[in-house]
Amino acid sequence: MPNVLVLGGTGFVGATLCEKLVQHYGGGSARIVVPSRRPARAKHIQMLPTVELVAADVHDDEQLTRLLRGCDAVVNLVAILHGSDKAFDRVHVQLPRRLAQACAATGVRRVVHVSALGVDAQAPSRYLRSKAAGEAVLAAAGLDLTVLRPSVIFGEGDRFLTLFARLQSIFPVVPLACADARFQPVWVDDVALAIVRCLDDRTTIGETLECCGPEVYTLAQLVRIAGRESGHLRPVIGLPAWLGRLQAALMEMLPGEPLMSRDNLDSMRVASVATGNRPGLARLGIRPASIEAIAPLYLGEGQGPARLDHWRAAVHRR
Ligand SMILES: NC(=O)c1ccc[n+]([C@@H]2O[C@H](COP(=O)([O-])OP(=O)(O)OC[C@H]3O[C@@H](n4cnc5c(N)ncnc54)[C@H](OP(=O)(O)O)[C@@H]3O)[C@@H](O)[C@H]2O)c1
């Protein structure tokens, strides 16, 4: 499987996936193409041998078709967490539709699509409903499709435990909406490995696999783990629903990507845990790593980006 197109390959999961694909195919004849709207921001991908980072608009049919030509498989990781109905529809539904059409035009059949646990046409959030619609579009397209549905994903560079660790390094308490929401967090390396195994294993065609870690936690427990591992454990104060919504509404008004939106709160009304109705990572021979084993490696004192602090200090960049 030497030619793989990775849509969304510059992101959190994509970067780890690209590394794993390079390792797996051992460089050589493999060609991993990663389109990006802003390739200049994705230097970490460009350094990998056999990875081609290209500037492209994947919402443009002609460009998407050109990207797919000559590929053996495509992985779709493009998604957004916040946005209007229109934005969710464009990224989670129209893009899979365009992808299916471009696959038909180029004869590319193998697609691995990353969705999310809890997707459903009747789900309470726009994120989950639009992701469900995107899955349905691809499933109806007659492709050689495998769908992965992860719970929340942790690992170096995540916007989850890392964010909670950072907040606790700044504020004396954490006022938390949906403190009892449940998750079964999965390590980014395990998700990336699952994608690689799916690409290799044609018996996964037609399957939807759930990607979960070994343990279920509430959001409050996860915030405490992030605080403990980063050395800034603060008290967590669960907010009543109305106050949580007000907090999210205020965050949506701040410039830039919101830390939390009301749609995120709606998503958390569905437990992001294995349903037991679908195969999991064991189906791919993967024993998922626990948060306890991995989080200290990137949240701990002097870990993560802070690893380079003494070098930065030496060149006066701190
Ligand atoms: N992270 C999690 O905890 C989690 C949990 C469950 C499911 N998932 C799913 O896993 C997949 C990967 O997630 P991730 O966390 O790696 O996402 P991510 O870091 O946000 O990366 C997504 C990539 O998609 C591209 N992208 C974003 N918005 C786009 C747009 N409007 N048009 C075109 N391209 C766009 C971006 O590439 P450029 O900026 O380079 O163009 C970005 O690098 C997604 O399907 C997500 O729903 C993630």
Side-chain angles (χ1 to χ4, degrees), residues 8-14 35-38 58-59 76-80 90-91 114-116 127 131 150-153 159:
T10 55
F12 169 50
V13 176
S36 171
R37 295 164 300 173
R38 297 159 298 192
V58 295
H59 302 287
N76 183 25
L77 297 166
V78 176
I80 54 173
R90 180 168 186 257
V91 177
V114 179
S115 183
Y127 173 81
K131 292 282 273 184
S151 180
V152 68
I153 305 171
R159 275 160 293 173

Side-chain angles (χ1 to χ4, degrees), residues 3-269:
N3 289 344
V4 184
L5 175 66
V6 185
L7 304 181
T10 55
F12 169 50
V13 176
T16 304
L17 172 64
C18 288
E19 276 179 38
K20 288 244 182 294
L21 286 171
V22 169
Q23 280 166 11
H24 184 69
Y25 296 123
S29 62
R31 184 168 166 258
I32 298 142
V33 178
V34 178
S36 171
R37 295 164 300 173
R38 297 159 298 192
R41 290 205 200 160
K43 296 273 186 254
H44 54 298
I45 302 292
Q46 207 157 28
M47 287 180 331
L48 294 167
T50 72
V51 172
E52 269 176 48
L53 181 65
V54 291
D57 176 7
V58 295
H59 302 287
D60 180 284
D61 292 330
E62 241 173 62
Q63 293 186 47
L64 188 57
T65 305
R66 214 174 307 134
L67 286 164
L68 272 165
R69 212 158 269 140
C71 284
D72 300 294
V74 55
V75 179
N76 183 25
L77 297 166
V78 176
I80 54 173
L81 256 185
H82 315 284
S84 60
D85 276 336
K86 203 171 156 200
F88 277 121
D89 182 65
R90 180 168 186 257
V91 177
H92 293 168
V93 191
Q94 298 309 325
L95 178 59
R97 184 163 291 134
R98 289 205 162 87
L99 179 59
Q101 282 162 0
C103 282
T106 52
V108 176
R109 296 199 51 80
R110 188 72 180 107
V111 178
V112 176
H113 175 69
V114 179
S115 183
L117 268 183
V119 301
D120 190 274
Q122 310 303 326
S125 72
R126 291 184 294 189
Y127 173 81
L128 292 173
R129 286 195 298 273
S130 58
K131 292 282 273 184
E135 274 193 24
V137 163
L138 289 173
L143 295 159
D144 291 345
L145 175 71
T146 306
V147 175
L148 296 180
R149 290 183 180 169
S151 180
V152 68
I153 305 171
F154 66 92
E156 188 159 0
D158 67 29
R159 275 160 293 173
F160 178 58
L161 293 185
T162 307
L163 171 69
F164 288 131
R166 201 170 302 143
L167 289 176
Q168 289 176 86
S169 74
I170 300 170
F171 299 108
V173 291
V174 183
L176 189 67
C178 298
D180 295 328
R182 291 190 311 136
F183 297 89
Q184 199 166 350
V186 60
W187 187 29
V188 65
D189 280 50
D190 289 331
V191 176
L193 182 60
I195 297 170
V196 174
R197 296 239 166 120
C198 286
L199 286 171
D200 265 0
D201 182 351
R202 293 188 60 79
T203 69
T204 62
I205 289 172
E207 291 189 357
T208 297
L209 294 101
E210 297 185 338
C211 302
C212 294
E215 300 285 345
V216 175
Y217 303 87
T218 65
L219 187 60
Q221 285 173 320
L222 290 168
V223 172
R224 286 192 196 100
I225 290 173
R228 192 185 66 219
E229 295 304 338
S230 62
H232 305 284
L233 181 57
R234 309 285 189 228
V236 175
I237 300 171
L239 297 179
W242 68 270
L243 196 50
R245 282 201 96 66
L246 181 63
Q247 182 195 49
L250 292 173
M251 285 180 180
E252 286 171 42
M253 289 159 73
L254 296 174
E257 174 109 340
L259 293 182
M260 179 74 72
S261 65
R262 283 165 292 178
D263 199 63
N264 295 155
L265 301 185
D266 291 336
S267 288
M268 286 193 271
R269 284 164 54 196

